[in-house]
Amino acid sequence: MNLSICCGRNFSTNDRKYTSRGSQEVNKRKILVVLVDRANYGRLKPVLRAIDEHVALELQIVAAGTMVLQRFHKPVEVVKRDGFQVDTEVYLELEGSTPATMAKSVGYGVGEFAGEYQRLKPDIVLLIGDRYETLAAAIAAAFMNICIAHIQGGEVSGSIDESTRHAISKFAHFHFPSTQRAVEYLIRMGENPDTILTVGCPSSDIARKLDQNAGLANSIINSTGVGATIDLRRSFLLVVFHPTTTQFGGERQQMGQLLNALSELQLQTICLWPNIDAGSDHISKTIRVFRDQAKPSWLRVITNLPPDDYLKILAAASCAIGNSSSFVRDASFFGTPVVLVGSRQDGRELADHVRTSPPSAKLIVQAVQEQLAHGRYNRSTLYGNGHVSERIAQSLAELTPYVQKRLHYIYEQANVQRHRAL
Amino acid sequence: MNLSICCGRNFSTNDRKYTSRGSQEVNKRKILVVLVDRANYGRLKPVLRAIDEHVALELQIVAAGTMVLQRFHKPVEVVKRDGFQVDTEVYLELEGSTPATMAKSVGYGVGEFAGEYQRLKPDIVLLIGDRYETLAAAIAAAFMNICIAHIQGGEVSGSIDESTRHAISKFAHFHFPSTQRAVEYLIRMGENPDTILTVGCPSSDIARKLDQNAGLANSIINSTGVGATIDLRRSFLLVVFHPTTTQFGGERQQMGQLLNALSELQLQTICLWPNIDAGSDHISKTIRVFRDQAKPSWLRVITNLPPDDYLKILAAASCAIGNSSSFVRDASFFGTPVVLVGSRQDGRELADHVRTSPPSAKLIVQAVQEQLAHGRYNRSTLYGNGHVSERIAQSLAELTPYVQKRLHYIYEQANVQRHRAL
Amino acid sequence: MNLSICCGRNFSTNDRKYTSRGSQEVNKRKILVVLVDRANYGRLKPVLRAIDEHVALELQIVAAGTMVLQRFHKPVEVVKRDGFQVDTEVYLELEGSTPATMAKSVGYGVGEFAGEYQRLKPDIVLLIGDRYETLAAAIAAAFMNICIAHIQGGEVSGSIDESTRHAISKFAHFHFPSTQRAVEYLIRMGENPDTILTVGCPSSDIARKLDQNAGLANSIINSTGVGATIDLRRSFLLVVFHPTTTQFGGERQQMGQLLNALSELQLQTICLWPNIDAGSDHISKTIRVFRDQAKPSWLRVITNLPPDDYLKILAAASCAIGNSSSFVRDASFFGTPVVLVGSRQDGRELADHVRTSPPSAKLIVQAVQEQLAHGRYNRSTLYGNGHVSERIAQSLAELTPYVQKRLHYIYEQANVQRHRAL
Amino acid sequence: MNLSICCGRNFSTNDRKYTSRGSQEVNKRKILVVLVDRANYGRLKPVLRAIDEHVALELQIVAAGTMVLQRFHKPVEVVKRDGFQVDTEVYLELEGSTPATMAKSVGYGVGEFAGEYQRLKPDIVLLIGDRYETLAAAIAAAFMNICIAHIQGGEVSGSIDESTRHAISKFAHFHFPSTQRAVEYLIRMGENPDTILTVGCPSSDIARKLDQNAGLANSIINSTGVGATIDLRRSFLLVVFHPTTTQFGGERQQMGQLLNALSELQLQTICLWPNIDAGSDHISKTIRVFRDQAKPSWLRVITNLPPDDYLKILAAASCAIGNSSSFVRDASFFGTPVVLVGSRQDGRELADHVRTSPPSAKLIVQAVQEQLAHGRYNRSTLYGNGHVSERIAQSLAELTPYVQKRLHYIYEQANVQRHRAL
C-alpha cells in the first residue's frame, strides 16, 4: 500500500509566503482539532504540540463535551495549563445520560460545531476516535464542505461507538489509523488507499516518552476523589467501567458483578467514575450505593486525572479491570495486565496483555488472579511505535484538501478515469 | 449469497397472538417509516401499502423535511389523500439553504426524530435513500437502540449524499439495496450478508403498475406553476436540477449553462424547482432571473407534482435533463432518454438510457440532440423487477431485530464464535 | 377588586356532557401542569390533586428540568409514587451551569415544550413560579396560542428570577398570585383585574395539613447524603444556598462566608446541594472542598428530599439559613426562624420570621444567634390561608380561555369598547 | 419625570483612554445591535450611524431572522451596501410558519444569539420592537448578564407582538420609548423612571431627512416583483398585510376580504408579501391564488424593498392599506392616509391619518374611499420629532450598565434604600 499523499498537486511549502502581520501568520493552513473528552486529549497532546510547532500549520482547538464540564473537573483546564490556546469551549451535553438525551446531544452538537466552524474557518478539521460528540463534529464539517482528517478509524469494538466510528470514517477525507488491520479494513470499506496517510496511534508517542520511574506521589492520587488512601508503592488495581450503550439497562447488573469481584479480591483499588454515555448515571449510582452499604476499606473513587497522571497509574497498576479502550491501547505499550469485562471492546485487536471476561463476578476474579499471577507483559507495538505525531502533522501540511468523497470500489477497474472524476 | 434472515431464532408468525382491542391490534410489530421528501414517498408508496396490509405489521408514518412545507406544496397531503394515516409531522429545516444551515438542520432533526421515537416506540425504523434529513432519522434511532432497516444502500453518487448514504448504512441493521452491485458493495463495506434481505428498488413496482397510456391531461400540468402552456401530446423536455452541495457556489453557473442549452433547443420544457439542499436558493434565483429577462415562451416552471403525476411526466418526456436520481432510477424502467448533467450522480450504475454531460451548454445541447435522435430505450430491470415491496414487508415481519452492529470482517475466520459474539 | 372570572360567557358545567368512553372522559378541559423542580411539585401537589379530582378537568403532567435528572434523584419518581400519571418527561438542561448554558437551556426547552404541547393539546397550561424552565414553557404556550394560567406572579425578588417572573406574567392569561401585594402589583403592571382569580399560595394548603408532630425518623435523614449523623430531636440548622445568577462569579465567595459562619456556630447542620442555575457548580465545589479540608463533624450534605420530608425538616429546624424562596414562603407558615443571606430574595414580602444578612460570616453568625435566642415565630398567613388549591381548580374549570392579551391601561377610560376589542 | 441617566457614577468620557491598536480602538463601549428584519433596519439606520460615529462607542451588528434569507432578498446586503460592517449572520427561522415552528424558532434563536454574544462580548445589546426573534435576543442577553437597551417599549398592539414587547421590556435594563404614553406605561409597568432615557422613535429622523421630492424612478419599482407595471406619478395604493398570530387560521379569510376590496377599487396597487409569522404562508398562498385566478391588471406584488425606497413609496402612496406598524408610525410623519385593517395594531396610539376597518371588503372599500377623498394629512410628531438617534447614541455612551432589575414599585416608599439595593 502506498502511504504517500492523495494527489499529484502536492502542497509545496516552498511556494508559499508566510508574511508576518503582528503576531498572526498569514497563509498558514488552519487545523482545527476537536477535543471531546479527557482521553481525546491524552492521546492528541503530542499531535497538538507537533501541529503547533509546524511552520506551515496554525492550530485551532475546540474543547467540547465533557472537556468543559465541572462535573468532570473541566479537563480543558489541563490543556490550557499545558500551554495551548483553546479557541472556544462548546457545551453540548443535554443532561440525562439516557439513549434519547445522547441522541439529542449529538443533534445539539452538530449545530454548535457548525457555529464554531463558521467563525474559525478551518482548512481541515482533525478528529479522533468514536465518541458521539465527535460524530457531531464530523457531520457539521462534512455538510459545510470542510475537509476532515480522522485518527483511529478502521477499528472494531462494541457499543454505539462501533457504528459511530465507521460513520465518521465515511465522512472523513483522510485517515490516520492506528494498526495495520485498521488500514486494511478502511481500504476494504471503500476508502481511497491514497487517503490513508500514516499507521500508528499517537498515544504510543506519549507512552514512549513517559517517565514511568518518576512515578506518582501518593499525595496526588489521595488528594482527589473519596475513599481509601492508596499506597502506590504497593500492588493496586485500576478499574474503569463505562456503559455499553447498546445494552442500556444492563449496566447496573454488570457493574454490580464487577464490584462483587472486587469485594472478593480485597486489593487496594482506584476506580474512575464512568464517562457520560447513556447508562452512566446507573453505573455511578451503583458505585455510590455500594460505597454506602459495603463501606469498602480498599476502594478509592476518583472523578478525573490529568492525562499524564492517568497514564502513570495505568502503567503502574498490577491489573487494570473494566472496558476502557485505554486498557486495549495504552496498556499495551506498558504491558500492564488487563481483564476486559463485557462486550464494549469486542472486536478490538488485542495484544498479549489482555484477558477477556464476561461480566460475572466469579469469572472476573479468576481472570484477575491469573493476571496477577502472570505479572507484567512485554511492551507491544501493535498500536504504534512511538513516532506518529510528527508524521501526522507533516501529512496535514502536505495533503491536498478535497471535499467530494466517493466509494473507492468504482475506480478499481477504471483507474484511468480516476483523477478526473475526483 | 444467502438472502435469508439474520438469525436462527426466526420470528414465527404462528407463535403470536393478534388480539383485537377496539381498532388496535396488539403484538403487531411497529414499523415506523420516515418520509422526508416527495421522492421518498414516490418510491415508498407500494411499501407503505404492503406494510399497512400485512397482518403482523403496524404502520407508523413520520412526515418530515420538505414533506410538510407549504413552499413545497405540503406533499404530506398527498400521503393523506392516498389513505395513509400520518402519525406526526416534523419540521426540521432551518431556513437558509447554506452549508451551515443544512448542517444545523441535520442536528435539529436528530432531536426532533428522537422526540417522535420516544412517543411512537417503533420496533423498526424504515428509511430510504441518502438525504440529510434521513441521516438525522438514522442517528436518532441508532443512539436510541432502535433497529434500522434501510432501502437503497450501497449505491454510489456525488454530492454530500454519497457520504450520507454510506454513513446511514453504517448505522442500519438491515438492508434492502436496489441492485446486485449495491449488494456486493454493502458486503464489501463490512455489512453482514445475512442482514441484506432483498434486491430491487420498490420504485420498480410503481413503474410496473403505472398506466402510462392513461397519460396526463394537459389541464393538470397547466393548472400548476407558471409560464408556457405545455401540450403533453407533443414532444417535451423535463428538467430537474438540484445543487451538488460539495460544489456549493458552483450551482449558479451550472444552472446558467443548462438554461442556455434549453434556450438553444427551444423545445417546450417542464422544469421543476430544486430541492432544499445548500445552493438551491441560488438555482431558484437563476431560474427566476432567466424567466424575467429571457421571457422564454417554451418554459413552464412547477413547484411540485404528486408522485404519480411526476412519474407519468417522466415516462412521457422525450428527454429528461438534469441530475435527479429519478432520471437514473425511475427513467430506467420507462426507457426515457436522459442527459445527466454534472457530477451529482457520478458513480451511479447507469442503464443504457443515460448519457452524461458536463455542465456546458454546448455539450448538453449535443447530448440532448443525440438522445432525441435515438428515441426511447428498452426498459431496464437494473433497479428492480417490479416485485419488491411485498418482499420488503414480509422481511420486516420475519427478521429478528438486534442492536449491536460490528464490522463483519472480524467474523470471517472465526465463524464459530460468531453468533455468540453477536 | 373583583376576583370573579374574566368574561360574561362563563363556562357552565351544566351545559356539558361528560361521556365516559372506556377510561377516558371526553369533553373534559385538559389542564397541563408543568413541573420543573422539586419545589414546584412541593407547592403544586394539592393543586394537582384538586385538578385530578375535579369532574370537569383532565390533568396532564409534564415533568421537566431537574425533575427528571438522576443527579437530583429524579424527583419525578416521587410524583409517580404519589399516584399521579406523568404524561411525559422533558430533558432540557444543557450541562454546564454557566450563564450561556442557562440561556441555551431556555432555548432548548422552548422547542421541547412546543413538541409536547403539539401532542398533548392542552386547553390550559398551568405554570408556577419564576424558573427559566418555566419561562420556556410559557413562551412555547404563548406562541402556540395556548391559554396560560400562572401561580405566584407579581412577587419581587433578586436573581434573573425577577425578570423571568414578570416576563411570564406578561405571557400569562390568568393569574393566581400568592399575596395581596402581588395582586396589586399585577394590576399595576397592566394585567386585567378580571384575570386575577385567587389570592394565596397553594403551599399554604400543604403547611396547614402537614402533621409536624409525626416528625421525621432520624433514619430517613441519615440514610441519604453524606457527612455527620443528624439527631433531629436536638436543635439543628437547615442550609440552602442557590446562586444569584445576576452575580455570577460571586457565589464562591458568598458560599465561603456562609460556611465560615457555620464553622463558627458548630451546630449540627443539614445542607442541601444547590439547584442547577448558573453558578451552582461553583457552590457545589466550594462545599466539596470545605468538606475535604475542614472535615466538619457537624455537617450533613443531602442532594434531595421528597417534598413532604423537606417541609418537615424546614418546620423542625431551629433556624434556616440561606436564600431559598421556601424560607420566605413555607417557613412563614411554620414560624421557623430564618436568616436570609444575600440579595437573591431582595424585594420579597417578608413575615416576621425572617432576618436578612449580607453574605458576611460575622453578620450571618450574629443573625443566627439572634434567631436562635428568639426561637419560633407565630404562624403567618401572608402567603395564604391554607384553602387555595380547590379554588384554583374550580377557577380553571370555570374560566373562559382567550389568547389575545393587551396591556389593560388602554381600557381604563374606554370601558365601553373593551369587550369588543378583546 | 427625570430623563437623566440611572446612576450617580456616570460614565465619564474624560476618564477613559482610547488607545489605538491597528484599526481597533480599545476601551470603547461595545454596542451590539440586533437586526431581525427589514423594518428593524429601516428604523435603526440613523442610530447605527450615530453609534458608529460616536467616539466612545464601538458598533457590532448581528443580522438575524429574515434579514439573511434569500426568500426575503437578504436585506442584510443593503446594510452592507450602506457601509456598515455586519459581524455575523444568524439563521434561526425553522421553516413552516406555524405557531409551533414560530415557538421553536424563538427557542433556536436564543441558543444562536447566546453563541454570538459569547464571541462578541458586547457591553450592551440594543434591541428594537416586538418581534419573536428580538425576544430570543433579549432572553439570551438577560440570562448572560448583558445589559439590554430597548427601543419602542411601552406601546400597545395586537398579535403575539403585544405580549412579546412587554416581556422584552421586563428583561430590558434601559428604555428608549417612542411616545409620551409609552413612557408613562413603562413607568406604570414598574420600570425605573431613571432608566427611560429618551422619547421619540428614530424612524422620525429618517422621515425628517427623507427627500420625498427626489421620489423613486418607476424603473426601480417595476424591476422587482411580478405583475402590473406601476406608474408612481399617478395615484397608487400600498398594501401590506401580515398575519395576526393570535388569530392563526383566520388570515386566509382576512386577506381574501382585503383582496376583494382591492378588486372593487381597481386602482394600481403595490402589495408586499407578508413577513414570516405563523400564518404568512396562508396569506402568500391567498395572494398567489388570487393572482392566478383573477389575473388583476392593477396589482404588482413585491418581496422586498430597501428601507429608503419603501419609505418613499409609503410617503407617496395615496392610501396605505393593511396592518403594518409602519402605517401607524412612519406614515404619521408623512401624513399618508392609512386604512388599518383588522386587530393587529389595536391599542396603538394613532395620529389623525389613520382610519380603522374590520377585515370586511365592503368596509375597507368605504374607508379607503373616504381616505382618498380626504387626501394627505398634516405631519404628526406623535412618534418623534426627528432628532432622536444621536440622543440614543449619547445615552448609550453615558449610561452605567447594570444587571439586576427589580420591579420599581418596591422603592416607592423607601427611596433612601434605593441606590444601595440596586
Side-chain angles (χ1 to χ4, degrees), chain D residues 108-136:
Chain D
Y108 199 83
V110 174
E112 296 298 284
F113 283 115
E116 300 304 334
Y117 296 162
Q118 274 184 290
R119 280 171 295 277
L120 294 170
K121 302 193 193 325
D123 295 300
I124 297 171
V125 167
L126 179 64
L127 306 174
I128 185 168
D130 49 25
R131 300 276 319 152
Y132 61 85
E133 300 95 335
T134 306
L135 175 66

Side-chain angles (χ1 to χ4, degrees), chain B residues 359-416:
Chain B
S360 139
K362 188 176 163 190
L363 297 172
I364 295 170
V365 168
Q366 192 178 319
V368 172
Q369 285 170 338
E370 286 171 14
Q371 288 287 43
L372 293 175
H374 179 284
R376 311 201 67 73
Y377 289 78
N378 289 331
R379 287 159 169 262
S380 160
T381 58
L382 176 62
Y383 282 92
N385 63 5
H387 298 277
V388 177
S389 302
E390 305 210 343
R391 291 211 313 267
I392 289 177
Q394 187 59 27
S395 295
L396 289 169
E398 290 179 356
L399 62 80
T400 303
Y402 72 103
V403 170
Q404 179 69 61
K405 292 192 67 176
R406 232 176 235 110
L407 208 55
H408 197 64
Y409 308 147
I410 60 165
Y411 300 117
E412 286 162 1
Q413 308 188 5
N415 272 319
V416 179

Side-chain angles (χ1 to χ4, degrees), chain A residues 105-166:
Chain A
S105 296
V106 175
Y108 200 84
V110 174
E112 295 299 284
F113 283 115
E116 300 304 333
Y117 296 162
Q118 275 184 289
R119 281 171 294 278
L120 293 171
K121 301 193 194 324
D123 296 299
I124 296 171
V125 168
L126 179 65
L127 306 174
I128 185 168
D130 49 24
R131 299 277 321 153
Y132 61 86
E133 299 96 336
T134 307
L135 175 66
I139 291 172
F143 279 85
M144 291 174 74
N145 289 335
I146 301 170
C147 184
I148 300 170
H150 182 224
I151 300 174
Q152 294 184 352
E155 299 182 33
V156 181
S157 74
S159 205
I160 189 64
D161 306 355
E162 166 73 2
S163 302
T164 300
R165 185 185 315 109
H166 303 317

Side-chain angles (χ1 to χ4, degrees), chain B residues 88-89 91 108 111-112 115-116 118-119, chain C residues 88-89 91 108 111-112 115-116 118-119:
Chain B
T88 186
E89 303 184 7
Y91 293 80
Y108 200 83
E112 296 298 285
E116 301 304 333
Q118 274 184 290
R119 282 171 293 277
Chain C
T88 186
E89 302 183 6
Y91 292 80
Y108 199 84
E112 296 299 284
E116 300 304 333
Q118 275 184 289
R119 282 171 294 277

Side-chain angles (χ1 to χ4, degrees), chain C residues 6 16 104 112 135 147 152 155 233 237 240 269 273 367 414:
Chain C
C6 161
R16 311 192 78 195
K104 291 182 177 190
E112 296 299 284
L135 175 66
C147 184
Q152 294 184 352
E155 299 182 30
R233 290 162 305 185
L237 306 178
V240 183
T269 301
W273 295 109

Side-chain angles (χ1 to χ4, degrees), chain B residues 21 24 39 71 187 292 326 348 363 368:
Chain B
R21 184 187 292 169
Q24 211 180 357
R71 183 153 71 95
I187 294 171
D292 280 0
S326 73
R348 291 259 193 218
L363 297 172
V368 172

